[in-house]
Amino acid sequence: MRRNIKSYLIVDGYNIINAWDELKYIAKTDLEDAREKLIDVIIEYAEFTGRKAIVVFDAYNVKNSRETVENRKYITVVYTREHQTADSYIEKFITSLSKYDDVKVATNDYAEQQIILGKGASRISARELKLDLDQAKNRMKQKNSSETKKIQRNWLEERLDKETLSKLENIRRMH
């Protein structure tokens, strides 16, 4: 029996923002901008890798906040409810998935990493996530570059036999 295995990348949003220097710097003055930059990067990654990505931001200390789920292109962004950490949301979400799904969780939180591993998911650190993203971007650039080359090098003379080319050249010279 063949199972429909899904691939997920679950990102502990604030944990990653605080681990990446460029996002941490932005977050000091504009947390919303830092969140959006992280989301944009994860959208690109999800689009290229085909993984379903979920970025979780906790609203643990936000008074009267309700859980909010935004479905965006290629990813889901979750803002947890008041008194719920991203960790607890992620643990609950992983439990809801099939044991056959391929689940990666990006966090630097050691306690969270242990729980993730215990639930059958794999974990990647913020640094490893950054490397994965950079590699995906490089592969995307290479793919786009090779597609551009294919488009640019679509010459008629490369597809015709010598006899036909010669006839066309004679016609061209006559005019």
Side-chain angles (χ1 to χ4, degrees), residues 22-143:
E22 65 274 18
L23 292 180
K24 189 188 225 175
Y25 178 77
I26 294 167
K28 287 179 184 175
T29 55
D30 190 345
L31 186 57
E32 178 65 25
D33 190 33
R35 279 195 300 251
E36 286 303 317
K37 284 194 175 7
L38 174 62
I39 289 167
D40 288 345
V41 168
I42 301 301
I43 286 172
E44 270 187 284
Y45 176 81
E47 180 180 10
F48 186 75
T49 62
R51 277 189 181 273
K52 172 80 176 125
I54 297 100
V55 181
V56 183
F57 295 105
D58 58 38
Y60 184 79
N61 292 320
V62 179
K63 291 278 179 234
N64 301 318
S65 66
R66 290 193 169 90
E67 182 178 300
T68 309
V69 177
E70 293 177 14
N71 288 309
R72 299 203 190 177
K73 191 174 186 184
Y74 302 107
I75 74 166
T76 302
V77 181
V78 176
Y79 297 91
T80 67
R81 66 181 187 276
E82 182 182 9
H83 303 302
Q84 184 181 29
T85 63
D87 296 354
S88 66
Y89 180 91
I90 291 168
E91 290 165 32
K92 186 177 165 191
F93 184 77
I94 291 171
T95 305
S96 76
L97 300 174
S98 162
K99 67 179 181 178
Y100 300 103
D101 288 337
D102 175 22
V103 182
K104 279 186 180 182
V105 179
T107 182
N108 273 355
D109 181 324
Y110 181 75
E112 179 65 7
Q113 290 174 357
Q114 299 313 302
I115 291 165
I116 290 161
L117 293 170
K119 295 204 179 282
S122 59
R123 65 107 196 132
I124 60 173
S125 68
R127 188 178 141 292
E128 290 168 315
L129 178 61
K130 185 83 169 125
L131 291 171
D132 274 4
L133 293 168
D134 290 344
Q135 286 174 348
K137 272 188 182 174
N138 286 337
R139 287 194 307 267
M140 212 178 318
K141 282 179 188 168
Q142 287 172 348
K143 183 181 174 211

